[in-house]
Amino acid sequence: MSIDTICQKLQNLCDSEDVTIEKSALELIATKSTGSLRDAENILEQGMVTYGENINEKDIRELLHLGEDFSTVHLFDNIVSGEPDKTIRTLSGLISDGHDATQIKDNILDLVRHTILHISGVEVPSHLRDDINSFVDGKSDEVNVPQLVNLAKILNGTDFRNSMDRVLPLEIALVEASVLFTDGYTQNTSMVSPKSPLNQPVPNGNTANPSSCLLYTSPSPRDATLSRMPSSA
């Protein structure tokens, strides 16, 4: 079900219950329910029970444990500006202010998605505030879709389950992601390091082939006695 349709049905429900709700709050509910009217109605009902007859976007964000979008905009800006040091400092500040690492990751992914859609010329209803939409508009000229897709992949691969420190996996992911946007960054697809002995020139001018190299062991006393060649592995 489309976001507009869900918003309209939720508005009808609010009208029948004499509940006043901000349009941005309805759009946020509809977006987070990912097309499910039942989920959207459940969120709205929880909001009515918790906040009464007047509900705003901030209430819904609090209900869904969402931080203010702009709290992660600066972090996103640091990442796509290729500034790992500022990225870590901004993240540390958000954590100190009580933001959850998982929610920070989700908020950044949300910004990545909207930026990709904007670059691609796809018009979709946005629950982002006008000032954040303006930021996304400006950043769309500075980054490209492949970079943003790689950023999304890195964030989606962040695993908080096996870490005693919930912030550490996100710190690693964001530093790795910010490197994608540094000047002159190129991804090395070679399986062997350029400095590896396997890539050094050999007398005939070619480069040693790892698959053709034999690993020889030192001669054993028996080899020396029997004048055998070193055994190969």
Side-chain angles (χ1 to χ4, degrees), residues 166-184:
R166 287 184 57 80
V167 181
L168 179 60
L170 185 60
E171 290 175 335
I172 295 173
L174 294 189
V175 169
E176 181 183 358
S178 65
V179 172
L180 295 173
F181 299 88
T182 55
D183 292 336

Side-chain angles (χ1 to χ4, degrees), residues 187-201:
Q187 186 173 1
N188 181 16
T189 57
S190 173
M191 295 299 292
V192 181
S193 170
K195 296 183 180 180
S196 169
L198 298 178
N199 269 339
Q200 300 308 307

Side-chain angles (χ1 to χ4, degrees), residues 42-147:
N42 287 339
I43 294 173
L44 178 58
E45 289 172 1
Q46 293 177 41
M48 291 177 178
V49 171
T50 306
Y51 302 105
E53 298 178 352
N54 292 284
I55 303 173
N56 56 40
E57 181 184 345
K58 184 177 180 181
D59 295 333
I60 299 301
R61 289 190 174 280
E62 184 179 84
L63 180 68
L64 298 177
H65 305 290
L66 301 175
E68 282 288 336
D69 283 311
F70 212 82
S71 64
T72 48
V73 164
H74 294 300
L75 181 58
F76 179 66
D77 188 22
N78 294 153
I79 295 169
V80 299
S81 297
E83 299 176 307
D85 52 343
K86 290 185 178 180
T87 297
I88 286 295
R89 288 199 295 270
T90 303
L91 174 60
S92 178
L94 290 174
I95 296 297
S96 297
D97 289 340
H99 293 273
D100 178 71
T102 303
Q103 193 55 58
I104 291 174
K105 183 200 76 171
D106 290 343
N107 284 353
I108 295 175
L109 281 171
D110 200 26
L111 289 170
V112 169
R113 173 180 177 269
H114 279 82
T115 306
I116 290 175
L117 292 174
H118 190 278
I119 292 175
S120 303
V122 179
E123 294 185 7
V124 294
S126 174
H127 63 273
L128 301 179
R129 296 188 338 226
D130 290 342
D131 53 349
I132 299 176
N133 277 319
S134 297
F135 168 83
V136 169
D137 185 17
K139 281 298 170 185
S140 298
D141 297 328
E142 302 177 18
V143 296
N144 57 58
V145 171
Q147 286 176 313

